[in-house]
Amino acid sequence: MKAASARWLGLGAWLVPILFFAVGPVGALLLRGTGAHGDAGLAWLASETGALGNTLGISAGAAALAFLLGAPLSLLLFRTDLPLRGAFTVLFTLPSAIPAFIWGMGWLSLASPRAGYLNRLLGDGAFDIYGPAGIAFVEGLSGLPLVLLAGAAALRRVDPALEEAARVCGASPLRALLTTTLPLALPSLLSGTVMVFLMAASSFGVPYLLGVSASPPTRVLTTRIYELVLLGGDAGLARASVLATALLLLTPLALLATWALGRSGRVRLSAGKGVASRLLPLGRARGSALVAVGLTCVLLVLLPLGAILLTSMQRSFGAELAWRELTLAHWSGVLLEPRTLRATGRSLLLAAGAGGLVCVLGLAAAVLQRSFRRLGAGVEALAVWPYAVPGTVVALALLLAFSRDLRFILLGRAAFVLALAHTPWLLLIAYAAKYLALGARNSAEALAQIDPSLAEAARVSGAGPVRAFVDAPLPLLRPALTVAFVLAFLACATEITMSVLLVPAGSEVLGTLLFELQSYADPAAAAVLACAFVALVVVGQSVLALVGRRTVEVR
Amino acid sequence: MASIALGGLFKSYGATPVVRGLSLDVREGELVSLLGPSGCGKTTTLRMLAGLEHPDSGVIRIGGETVTGPGVRVPPERRGLGMVFQSYAVWPHRSVEENVAYPLTLRRLAKAEVASRVKEALRWVRLEALATRRPHELSGGQLQRVALARALVASPRVLLLDEPLSNLDAALREELRAEIAALRARLGTTMVFVTHDQGEALALSDRIAVMNQGVIEQVDAPERLYREPATPFVAGFVGGANVLVGQVRDGAFHTAQGDTRFPLPPGTAAPDGPCTLVVRPEDLELGAEGTPLPLSARLFLGHAAEYRFPVGGTLLRVVGPPREVRAGEVLPVRIAKAKLFATG
Ligand SMILES: Nc1ncnc2c1ncn2[C@@H]1O[C@H](COP(=O)(O)OP(=O)(O)O)[C@@H](O)[C@H]1O
Ligand SMILES: [Mg+2]
């Protein structure tokens, strides 16, 4: 009886913050959005078809680009003997580790109509990164890793015996790869593509950077919501919730598509993990494949980052390109400025706090998921779902839900007042809710690998339930929790979309500082900050690589 | 050392009953095997005994103390047991000696005492030399020994073993079986041993409880179980006997399916009516005046041969001296000795 009620108590304790700070606010937003009348109703939505159309078009374009690049690349990187494929894999997965906004800045430096480096090298007006095509291009590139990683997972799980069977039947290695393995990996590649679509639809920074000041301006749902919130007033907020509802409805559709694709794909993949399959020898094509992949990598990954670095060292963006024009003045100016330091401190603190919450609540979700057989799926859904909700929607929902102080009345008296509006707490809540999935997924996957009898053996040895958990599965979960913490930390420290809506006046965080500098003030200073972001991400990813190696050693 | 009493245990998962009214007494120092086919509820029974599962109803007593019962639910850590899991459950993040020391550290023993008892336990299972190794450096047999040492180190009242040998290869299985027998002789611990392998059970146990679909069909000493099976299932599972369903008419057995007729040897107690015929392969003869049956296969066993005949929806197995016969030949088969269980 005691163990059973402890379980329910745990579930209750976990549900309170989840329902109150994530499900509740988004649910209220949804109600508000669907129930809006008057000038913010459906009739008004009809006048916003432009933004909706742009969102759909840009996201579809980004998804198509990511698929067309990602499918052949994943075959080359994960199923052939391409030289340097390990290094290429690291470089090609960089785009999703670095905020899309920074890639947008990079491409702006390269291909803004007049001052872009490429345009200056190749003659005026060769490229114009502004507008829908440019946005889709940048989003597609920053979504590329989603397709690559989905492809890698599937290609590793396709039973090599299937391909070998095709070989025995007389197929050449290439033919066997293309007619057996590729079709089997296709559902996974496509589900990665759906994720790119979703990511592009919820993206805010890039369409703001490359859309709002385009001529004519390209508006998408997220940037329209931002404008309406800035406009303020009840009408603006009501309209924003209608748009947010429209954006929110894209999520279940896309998730449904992924789920369906994943289901049809899973059946035919081998259940076992990482069966080492033989790599396809490229033979004489090896050299040309290396050149092609290398050039793609330089053009799509290294060039934009180089452009940002160059911009950060130019006296002013658009000035003549010459050695004597290079300066480190911006670097010392930006990095030592109190404003930057304060924003950095705030961001790191918030990111560490959110990372901790993500780990604790995520681990709790994983444990609950395991101890409740049926309800477990519901717990997982609650934990993972905010990750799929566009950041703009999460932020708007919190903004609306906590715009007024909440008074909790107990025994006829005000027991306590929850005043979250215009405080950094809202940021913390938004970050933790949005990235809870990282903690839940990582812990659940790690926990699933751990035989329950390890904890049971501790129980029989004389340990109570808590002690048994701390002694047996928890040490084995540490690598997964470290990964979750670092990923959440990086995501929060560089977060822009939710931060611009939620940050209290006068207490900037790194993301909003970057956004401000780039949008309104000083591209060179923004470039310095962007370089710092990239450095932070590289450090974080190295930590992850080290953790990964350590877990391999333990096994 | 302690006695165990299981009384009227019921357990279902959802709508599926897994254990259906199981009762069993184990005396102090006795080794009782739970023997049965995979999925019959052996592990579930053992886990209820350990306190890792709670039965829907029923009572469990260890050493006279009720540990499971109406309103009583002593948690596993306070039952004073040792348990060896089928998957070993050796903690991968602890060395061999840390694994074995764990139950002692929980009992807050002095460091020196822990060290000496760990050493002793490792000597029991002949792992002294590997004390500082990590589990991933050990073979399956060595892991199983670590699990055994860890289960025994704190002098448990009862040792529970869940198919401890089934993940090992044949030679290792033999070796570890002998070691378990030797440990038992030395420590005298009460043991409950779960297995699906009748050879293992017959060789190790004082008594065997044969389980089928969540109930115990017979509890007896190995020899008696083999000689006098109480049910057709026990005869088939433990003795490898042929089991045919049919009825007795005019002193002969007729299979229900196909109505094949077998005259019964004189002296067989056989009232007319529906029944189950149990006959060991050695008790069938390929004699002159038997029932003619088509041979489907012949397996050479060395000292003898096994002949198989499709009869009554199953394969009838006959063991006898090797003879030159081919599949498809019709041979007369005669029952020399059989046992009948009246049904319905
Ligand atoms: N946790 C569980 N949930 C649902 N069914 C279970 C669970 N554990 C065991 N079962 C079912 O109970 C039956 C008996 O299982 P078990 O006791 O493990 O059998 P055995 O150990 O004799 O092979 C099996 O059919 C199994 O599928
Ligand atoms: Mg079992």
Side-chain angles (χ1 to χ4, degrees), chain A residues 49-443:
Chain A
T49 45
L52 186 60
N54 277 336
T55 292
L56 292 176
I58 287 172
S59 308
L65 176 67
F67 178 77
L68 292 178
L69 262 173
L73 252 182
S74 64
L75 281 181
L76 275 169
L77 291 177
F78 304 116
R79 286 312 297 271
T80 71
D81 64 346
L82 182 78
L84 297 177
R85 52 185 184 279
F88 282 133
T89 306
V90 170
L91 285 173
F92 275 117
T93 44
L94 210 50
S96 71
I98 295 172
F101 188 74
I102 289 182
W103 296 102
M105 287 170 59
W107 283 102
L108 203 54
S109 299
L110 284 171
S112 86
R114 266 179 307 280
Y117 301 126
L118 287 179
N119 283 328
R120 281 198 266 165
L121 281 175
L122 303 173
D124 244 16
F127 301 100
D128 183 0
I129 199 68
Y130 284 109
I135 300 173
F137 176 73
V138 174
E139 297 285 2
L141 290 185
S142 73
L144 176 62
L146 296 178
V147 177
L148 276 184
L149 294 179
L155 289 172
R156 283 201 200 106
R157 261 163 53 227
V158 171
D159 188 346
L162 295 175
E163 205 171 291
E164 282 159 10
R167 293 292 307 282
V168 174
C169 292
S172 70
L174 181 64
R175 199 187 162 89
L177 180 65
L178 294 182
T179 57
T180 334
T181 308
L182 185 60
L184 290 176
L186 202 57
S188 292
L189 289 168
L190 286 175
S191 85
T193 308
V194 174
M195 296 317 286
V196 177
F197 179 90
L198 207 55
M199 186 213 78
S202 16
S203 170
F204 164 76
V206 175
Y208 191 86
L209 189 63
L210 303 178
V212 172
S213 44
S215 53
T218 305
R219 295 214 157 76
V220 298
L221 290 176
T222 52
T223 53
R224 274 301 284 155
I225 293 172
Y226 179 70
E227 285 173 353
L228 288 167
V229 171
L230 284 201
L231 208 66
D234 278 348
L237 288 179
R239 289 173 163 194
S241 8
V242 174
L243 290 186
T245 304
L247 187 55
L248 196 54
L249 291 181
L250 290 178
T251 312
L253 292 181
L255 287 185
L256 200 67
T258 329
W259 177 77
L261 290 170
R263 227 167 64 117
S264 65
R266 203 173 308 135
V267 185
R268 285 168 279 168
L269 299 177
S270 76
K273 46 182 177 252
V275 216
S277 43
R278 218 170 304 127
L279 296 173
L280 174 73
L282 287 172
R284 261 176 300 156
R286 210 160 171 241
S288 33
L290 176 63
V291 170
V293 174
L295 277 181
T296 314
C297 181
V298 167
L299 180 68
L300 299 184
V301 179
L302 299 179
L303 215 54
L305 294 181
I308 295 178
L309 188 63
L310 188 58
T311 304
S312 79
M313 299 202 294
Q314 276 203 295
R315 235 172 262 291
S316 68
F317 186 57
E320 189 189 347
L321 286 171
W323 281 113
R324 67 190 142 72
E325 289 292 324
L326 294 185
T327 168
L328 284 178
H330 302 300
W331 279 79
S332 52
V334 172
L335 293 184
L336 297 178
E337 202 187 341
R339 187 182 173 197
T340 319
L341 293 178
R342 276 199 302 272
T344 309
R346 249 177 242 125
S347 268
L348 296 186
L349 209 60
L350 279 170
L357 281 176
V358 161
C359 285
V360 171
L361 289 173
L363 179 62
V367 171
L368 288 170
Q369 200 181 322
R370 196 178 225 202
S371 55
F372 289 90
R373 283 201 187 87
R374 295 237 181 85
L375 281 177
V379 169
E380 191 198 8
L382 279 182
V384 170
W385 149 91
Y387 194 61
V389 176
T392 310
V393 177
V394 173
L396 180 62
L398 288 173
L399 204 61
L400 292 173
F402 298 105
S403 60
R404 283 195 210 105
D405 297 354
L406 296 178
R407 273 162 221 286
F408 289 84
I409 313 287
L410 267 185
L411 306 172
R413 294 170 44 206
F416 65 97
V417 179
L418 195 64
L420 294 173
H422 313 295
T423 67
W425 294 110
L426 268 193
L427 274 177
L428 184 71
I429 292 165
Y431 292 166
K434 173 91 177 153
Y435 297 112
L436 177 58
L438 295 173
R441 271 280 160 79
N442 273 295
S443 325

Side-chain angles (χ1 to χ4, degrees), chain B residues 37-44 47 86 162-163 194-196:
Chain B
S38 179
C40 71
K42 307 181 295 289
T43 297
T44 306
R47 290 169 60 81
Q86 186 169 5
D162 190 359
E163 312 228 7
V194 161
T195 179
H196 66 260

Side-chain angles (χ1 to χ4, degrees), chain B residues 176-259:
Chain B
L176 212 65
R177 188 169 84 187
E179 260 170 57
I180 291 176
L183 270 174
R184 173 162 179 265
R186 180 189 312 195
L187 303 173
T189 313
T190 310
M191 294 191 188
V192 178
F193 185 98
V194 161
T195 179
H196 66 260
D197 179 320
Q198 79 272 23
E200 240 165 72
L202 290 171
L204 266 177
S205 323
D206 295 323
R207 286 190 303 149
I208 299 174
V210 182
M211 272 187 83
N212 184 28
Q213 299 186 349
V215 294
I216 291 180
E217 298 227 341
Q218 186 176 5
V219 191
D220 256 317
E223 285 204 35
R224 206 181 141 91
L225 202 69
Y226 190 82
R227 294 250 160 76
E228 288 164 49
T231 65
F233 175 81
V234 175
F237 194 77
V238 179
N242 294 295
V243 178
L244 291 173
V245 181
Q247 56 176 309
V248 173
R249 273 197 318 256
D250 327 321
F253 176 81
H254 298 254
T255 60
Q257 207 179 16
D259 200 29

